[in-house]
Amino acid sequence: MSERKPITLQGLLDRHARGEKIAMLTCYDASFATLLDDAGVDALLVGDSLGNVLQGEASTVPVALEHMVYHTRCVARGRRNAWLLADLPFGSYQTTPEAAMLAAVELHKAGAQMVKLEGGGWTTETVRFISQRGIPVCAHLGLTPQTVTALSGFKVQGRDAAGAAKLKADALALQEAGAQMLVLELVPSALAADITQALSIPVIGIGAGPDCSGQVLVLHDMLDLSSGRRPRFVKNFMQGASSVQDAVRRYVGEVQAGTFPHPELHGY
Ligand SMILES: Nc1nc(=O)c2c([nH]1)NC[C@@H]1CN(c3ccc(C(=O)N[C@@H](CCC(=O)O)C(=O)O)cc3)CN21
Ligand SMILES: CC(C)C(=O)C(=O)O
Ligand SMILES: [Mg+2]
């Protein structure tokens, strides 16, 4: 692994063009950044899920920009080669594209190579604004946890024909607006496959079936460190693993081979 070179945006898009799956995990500190990177993880996401797994909050809503900047800096110091993304937290991009840009600049200066924001059609203007000004953007559709209140819970999205059509139209609009990656969360596998086929940018799934361009999980979930109920899309990679490093290597191997997620065990 040590001969790996830092992944650039072009390198990531080239891998996608060759049909290689992208293995992403969330990461919040320097120690794990180095471990995950050495285990072959392609992309590290400083997720606002740190609100849940680090801060003990019930949702990602309370997470502040300063928290995201702090953890992005921690991960950036430990990272060697993996592509580094960070979530724009709730409130930092909803008001205006200008406000979103200022928040994106803070994350970018802290080391994030790409910023991720949640939401459909209304975010296209913001995605265009940020990406045109030099910071790569990842969109996030399907279950958007920051709007869990309005969505009335953590539920599968795009189940009916109208919802599915809206999701696909939003995905195409976001790609057109300059998004260079899309996270698709908690949608039926067939819909995720259809959207992945329709887009040229990589689509990273979480609870979206095996036919995406790559996968992401929350680190604490796949290492079985999250107490309580686990969503069905999670697999415990510590089961049968000899170490954390081994568990992460297995995750990378299964994502690259297309054997995780299993359509019946982890799909909708
Ligand atoms: N630890 C952790 N893991 C995550 O995957 C995660 C976070 N935190 N925080 C932010 C969001 C919230 N996410 C969630 C939260 C709950 C469900 C959930 O309860 N899913 C159920 C019901 C789905 C349904 O049937 O509608 C499931 O069985 O998957 C899914 C995703 C994903 N993200
Ligand atoms: C689950 C991923 C996609 C995320 O947004 C997060 O960890 O915050
Ligand atoms: Mg997030």
Side-chain angles (χ1 to χ4, degrees):
M1 305 287 167
S2 52
E3 74 281 2
R4 290 207 312 158
K5 286 203 202 78
I7 302 183
T8 60
L9 179 59
Q10 191 57 56
L12 201 69
L13 298 175
D14 287 348
R15 291 197 48 167
H16 170 57
R18 289 196 297 269
E20 293 172 29
K21 299 261 190 188
I22 296 164
M24 188 191 293
L25 283 175
T26 68
C27 186
Y28 317 102
D29 66 46
S31 298
F32 270 112
T34 305
L35 186 152
L36 300 185
D37 201 315
D38 287 348
V41 175
D42 300 303
L44 306 176
L45 168 65
V46 184
D48 58 354
S49 51
L50 66 83
N52 299 82
V53 297
L54 300 190
Q55 298 175 334
E57 301 283 2
S59 82
T60 58
V61 171
V63 174
L65 180 60
E66 63 182 299
H67 303 148
M68 297 306 300
V69 168
Y70 172 85
H71 288 280
T72 298
R73 218 172 254 128
C74 293
V75 172
R77 291 195 196 102
R79 179 192 79 96
R80 300 198 219 272
N81 300 312
W83 184 247
L84 178 50
L85 303 86
D87 270 338
L88 283 164
F90 186 66
S92 71
Y93 62 92
Q94 280 79 0
T95 53
T96 63
E98 288 80 2
M101 185 68 199
L102 287 171
V105 164
E106 282 207 48
L107 291 175
H108 194 44
K109 288 188 178 188
Q113 296 167 297
M114 183 177 244
V115 296
K116 179 162 78 60
L117 54 85
E118 299 180 7
W122 70 271
T123 65
T124 52
E125 190 191 353
T126 301
V127 167
R128 190 177 316 259
F129 195 92
I130 296 173
S131 58
Q132 281 184 339
R133 284 160 179 76
I135 303 178
V137 178
C138 177
H140 181 154
L141 290 173
L143 174 72
T144 47
Q146 293 177 6
T147 47
V148 61
T149 312
L151 292 173
S152 305
F154 300 104
K155 295 187 242 179
V156 177
Q157 303 294 307
R159 272 212 193 274
D160 60 8
K166 170 87 166 77
L167 265 176
K168 187 173 176 180
D170 282 348
L172 286 163
L174 287 160
Q175 172 177 271
E176 191 278 325
Q180 285 178 292
M181 189 181 281
L182 170 68
V183 164
L184 210 45
E185 177 165 353
L186 215 61
V187 300
S189 302
L191 174 61
D194 181 45
I195 291 175
T196 303
Q197 282 303 310
L199 298 194
S200 56
I201 59 173
V203 176
I204 311 301
I206 172 168
D211 298 318
C212 299
S213 324
Q215 299 291 329
V216 60
L217 281 178
V218 169
L219 178 66
H220 292 56
D221 293 345
M222 58 84 72
L223 294 179
D224 201 28
L225 296 172
S226 307
S227 47
R229 223 171 68 83
R230 250 203 316 260
R232 190 162 92 206
F233 58 73
V234 174
K235 176 174 172 178
N236 172 12
F237 283 86
M238 279 305 284
Q239 196 162 11
S242 59
S243 64
V244 169
Q245 182 102 9
D246 183 35
V248 176
R249 278 209 195 89
R250 282 165 191 240
Y251 169 76
V252 172
E254 291 190 25
V255 170
Q256 286 175 351
T259 53
F260 174 80
H262 188 283
E264 271 118 60
L265 296 178
H266 310 114
Y268 299 90

